[in-house]
Amino acid sequence: MTPSHCLLVRDGTFATVGPSGDITAERGTQPHGLFARDARHVSRWQLTVDGSTPTVLQPATADGPSATVVLTPPASRAEAPALTVFREQRVADGALVERIRLSSNRGAACAVLVALLVDADFADQFELRSDHRWYEKPHAVRTRTALPDGVEFGYRRREWHSRTVITAQPAPDAVEETGSGARRLCWQLELPPHGSAELSLRAEAHPHGVPEPAAEAADVFPAAPAVLPAAPEDWPELDRACAQGLADLSGLRVAATGPDGEALRVPAAGVPWFLTLLGRHAAITSLFVLPGRPEPAAATLLALAAAQATAQDADRLAQPGKIVHELRHGELAYFGQVPYGRYFGSVDSTPLFLMLLGAHAEATGDDKLAHRLERHARAAVDWMFHDGGLADHGYLLYRPDDGGLANQSWKDSAGAICFADGTPARGVIRAAAAQGYAYDALRRTARLARSAWGDARYGERLETAAGELRDRFLADFWLPGQDFPALALDGAGRRADALASDAGHLLWTGILDQEHGERVADRLLSPEFFTGWGIRTLAAGQDAYHPLSYHRGSVWPHDSAIAALGLARYGLHDQARTLARGLLDMAARHGFRMPEVIAGYARAEHPEPVPYPHACSPQAWSAAAPFALLTAVTAGT
């Protein structure tokens, strides 16, 4: 079956093209186009030969940022095509670059008319989602300007200004208007007998607010196989999954700046919807790869410190010391039509920042970064105790954001935090996983205080607070009747009794004692949770369970990888390896690219993983998950 789209991604730019290499302005789960900084800079890129759409011989197949396509003009068995079209496409430096080679299949010279329909609608990514929302864009003006070698599309809305410049070599013989705003670039080419002709095209995005090119940021994911950690001999598939994950992470780098304005490259969350810095995703991705790759952790820590809130801003949920959830650069964020320009709707980015800072110092044996970010770390701790809720309420908590995210833990979809019967938890929410992160963050920061900052008194205070949180958590969250922790406490203090995979995060962070940890482990590897591929986000058999729900029954590889790390932490190595085997079997069925999420159907009933229809791919914490599995399966050996 011919794939419906092909994705090319590199350095904060991606292009989604159809099987023929065309871009058709398609919307939906995989919108077509060339995208940079949350905007579509090419919405049409459609090739015709002698007035007809070519037939696909070999559909677009991606190799990282590049793809190849083979086409012919429409023909029949009786009349072979006169020529073959070879398209080579790649994204680089904010541009889509294409080489078109037309090769004659005949012994006589022939003329051919080649045309490329091009357009740029500058749609914000939030406009292209299938959520039926519509955004006003008053005073917006689009322009088209013919160039000697192509065309320039412009977009202006007040001070917002973006451009797309499309050029060709050789220059087109004509640039035609179409009546729709698109332009048609036309060439009349002569092909010698069994000879060829070539066109080179470049569509270059110039997003609003992008400065002139500065010093190149360090490459945090150099694709050097020699530095890949070696998997055990009986885990060859783990080496392949790590290699694919490393390639995907290399493509998912985006530009960021540090506290002193230094250029950085950090892991973006995923394509197509989240090619930007998300605090939670970048921190977990960096934690996964930290044992072998400390560079992403350092870059992520600096970028998150630079974006840390310093004042109250209710519209963005900003509070002093809080770590950012999401950064956006698009038009709708700029004009405040979506809240995500610099949005702080995450209860767990802040403890994850502290976890990563402590883990980086421990993994590298170097506390220079911990010294540099001491002020930011102390501010993050202050947020956890004050605005975060630890001091007054005993737990990290969040309130639903009417204009943004109702849920602000990792399961952030509406209704994800619920009771077993499916009733959503309401009011002020204290999510279980976030308490585990807080516990680990306090303990790691206590060690930094003693070892790097020379403040034993501060370290003792944090260590004491962590111990008290652990005792309090077990008393308040444990469900005696289910012998399992609650997913959350709601605004009335009731335990949200849905049995959820978040318990694996509690193992990862060590907030449970050994006895309760082993009970959780047994449950997570039972058939109600473990599908054979991974752990369901919500156990089967509950009214709230749905195998195709985003967070209420699907399987997320990063979530299961966290559980594998937790199992290894509690010395449950056989269980950790069973889980890792299932995840790697799933990855093998996706070319060793770990999917973001799959449906929660059991392997015994469905011998192949059932895709989740709206998954991002590639996706950073899934790409990093094999490295977490490597840590888990080698623990205790």
Side-chain angles (χ1 to χ4, degrees):
M1 183 174 68
T2 300
S4 61
H5 68 274
C6 176
L7 179 70
L8 317 177
V9 57
R10 185 74 179 177
D11 292 343
T13 306
F14 74 92
T16 306
V17 302
S20 67
D22 281 354
I23 292 170
T24 63
E26 182 177 315
R27 294 174 178 246
T29 57
Q30 292 287 344
H32 276 205
L34 172 69
F35 292 86
R37 287 175 71 89
D38 299 326
R40 179 158 67 180
H41 279 263
V42 173
S43 53
R44 288 192 180 276
W45 188 266
Q46 295 174 263
L47 180 70
T48 58
V49 177
D50 288 329
S52 298
T53 300
T55 299
V56 177
L57 286 188
Q58 179 185 0
T61 53
D63 181 12
S66 306
T68 57
V69 186
V70 182
L71 312 167
T72 64
S76 66
R77 189 186 298 270
E79 184 178 359
L83 57 90
T84 305
V85 181
F86 300 89
R87 303 181 76 171
E88 299 174 5
Q89 299 174 321
R90 63 185 174 90
V91 292
D93 302 322
L96 171 65
V97 180
E98 176 162 357
R99 174 175 173 256
I100 300 175
R101 180 166 59 90
L102 298 97
S103 181
S104 173
N105 298 323
R106 293 181 175 175
C110 65
V112 58
L113 176 63
V114 177
L116 188 71
L117 182 71
V118 295
D119 199 2
D121 64 2
F122 300 98
D124 191 288
Q125 277 195 277
F126 284 92
E127 296 179 84
L128 300 176
R129 297 189 179 191
S130 302
D131 56 8
H132 309 293
R133 297 187 185 184
W134 182 80
Y135 300 91
E136 291 188 0
K137 302 172 94 172
H139 312 298
V141 176
R142 291 175 58 192
T143 60
R144 297 95 178 161
T145 304
L147 304 174
D149 55 354
V151 60
E152 176 179 309
F153 295 93
Y155 178 83
R156 184 178 294 277
R157 178 181 169 192
R158 287 171 33 195
E159 69 273 18
W160 180 275
H161 185 213
S162 296
R163 298 182 297 131
T164 300
V165 179
I166 298 174
T167 55
Q169 181 63 41
D173 298 313
V175 178
E176 299 177 348
E177 296 188 13
T178 63
S180 67
R183 294 294 185 266
R184 184 178 290 107
L185 312 182
C186 302
W187 296 263
Q188 186 71 47
L189 302 177
E190 299 291 331
L191 301 184
H194 294 296
S196 63
E198 290 188 4
L199 300 172
S200 296
L201 300 117
R202 181 180 181 87
E204 189 170 273
H206 295 267
H208 177 82
V210 176
E212 291 302 312
E216 180 68 12
D219 188 346
V220 299
F221 288 108
V227 300
L228 276 172
E233 290 186 3
D234 56 339
W235 292 77
E237 63 274 34
L238 188 47
D239 271 335
R240 295 187 62 183
C242 284
Q244 180 60 54
L246 192 64
D248 287 340
L249 289 167
S250 180
L252 287 171
R253 303 165 303 173
V254 292
T257 55
D260 297 325
E262 64 270 41
L264 304 167
R265 290 198 182 277
V266 297
V271 177
W273 302 115
F274 298 102
L275 194 62
T276 191
L277 175 62
L278 269 66
R280 176 192 302 125
H281 294 69
I284 290 176
T285 297
S286 299
L287 281 163
F288 280 179
V289 303
L290 180 57
R293 290 295 181 99
E295 301 90 352
T300 294
L301 287 164
L302 291 168
L304 294 180
Q308 186 177 31
T310 58
Q312 297 277 348
D313 185 339
D315 290 340
R316 297 184 297 147
L317 303 190
Q319 296 159 334
K322 197 175 185 183
I323 296 298
V324 73
H325 169 60
E326 182 172 356
L327 294 175
R328 288 287 183 175
H329 306 284
E331 174 191 358
L332 297 181
Y334 179 87
F335 287 107
Q337 292 174 274
V338 296
Y340 306 112
R342 180 173 290 194
Y343 183 61
F344 293 84
S346 166
V347 73
D348 49 10
S349 291
T350 306
L352 283 165
F353 170 80
L354 294 167
M355 287 171 60
L356 182 59
L357 184 63
H360 178 269
E362 293 168 18
T364 62
D366 186 346
D367 60 9
K368 286 194 284 292
L369 189 59
H371 277 293
R372 182 180 176 190
L373 299 182
E374 179 181 356
R375 174 174 59 86
H376 300 86
R378 287 179 182 263
V381 171
D382 287 346
W383 176 84
M384 289 205 303
F385 278 105
H386 298 119
D387 289 314
L390 273 183
D392 292 337
H393 303 278
Y395 296 108
L396 292 186
L397 51 83
Y398 64 85
R399 295 166 178 81
D401 180 15
D402 291 338
L405 295 172
N407 284 310
Q408 294 161 31
S409 60
W410 89 263
K411 290 178 177 173
D412 58 4
S413 58
I417 307 301
C418 64
F419 290 80
D421 64 2
T423 303
R426 304 192 185 280
V428 176
I429 303 298
R430 286 145 288 186
Q435 315 316 320
Y437 300 157
Y439 170 77
D440 197 26
L442 290 170
R443 298 195 69 211
R444 290 184 186 274
T445 310
R447 288 195 287 272
L448 285 181
R450 291 189 288 262
S451 64
W453 304 338
D455 192 343
R457 187 173 179 179
Y458 186 62
E460 183 62 29
R461 176 196 161 202
L462 300 187
E463 196 73 59
T464 298
E468 292 172 348
L469 173 59
R470 191 186 206 204
D471 294 341
R472 191 165 56 244
F473 179 84
L474 195 58
D476 292 345
F477 276 77
W478 196 258
L479 298 165
Q482 295 287 358
D483 208 25
F484 202 75
L487 175 57
L489 304 181
D490 73 0
R494 296 177 300 173
R495 299 181 179 106
D497 60 351
L499 306 185
S501 63
D502 298 55
H505 299 232
L506 305 179
L507 297 179
W508 182 43
T509 54
I511 196 172
L512 300 176
D513 60 31
Q514 186 69 28
E515 179 185 353
H516 288 87
E518 291 180 7
R519 294 182 201 174
V520 164
D522 288 344
R523 198 68 175 269
L524 290 177
L525 269 296
S526 69
E528 61 191 331
F529 269 114
F530 184 50
T531 66
W533 308 116
I535 293 172
R536 294 184 179 98
T537 46
L538 211 65
Q542 304 173 94
D543 289 345
Y545 167 73
H546 189 307
L548 282 168
S549 171
Y550 198 49
H551 288 130
R552 282 168 50 164
S554 58
V555 172
W556 290 65
H558 93 278
D559 181 41
S560 294
I562 283 175
L565 289 171
L567 292 165
R569 176 173 185 155
Y570 281 74
L572 306 173
H573 301 296
D574 289 343
Q575 293 94 321
R577 290 167 187 154
T578 295
L579 178 52
R581 288 285 186 196
L583 289 164
L584 290 168
D585 286 350
M586 173 177 55
R589 287 160 169 80
H590 293 85
F592 289 95
R593 169 178 285 168
M594 199 74 78
E596 179 191 26
V597 53
I598 64 169
Y601 297 107
R603 184 174 183 175
E605 299 172 2
H606 302 274
E608 295 297 320
V610 178
Y612 179 80
H614 306 290
C616 290
S617 182
Q619 205 270 354
W621 58 18
S622 290
F627 293 89
L629 298 180
L630 179 59
T631 300
V633 302
T634 56
T637 59

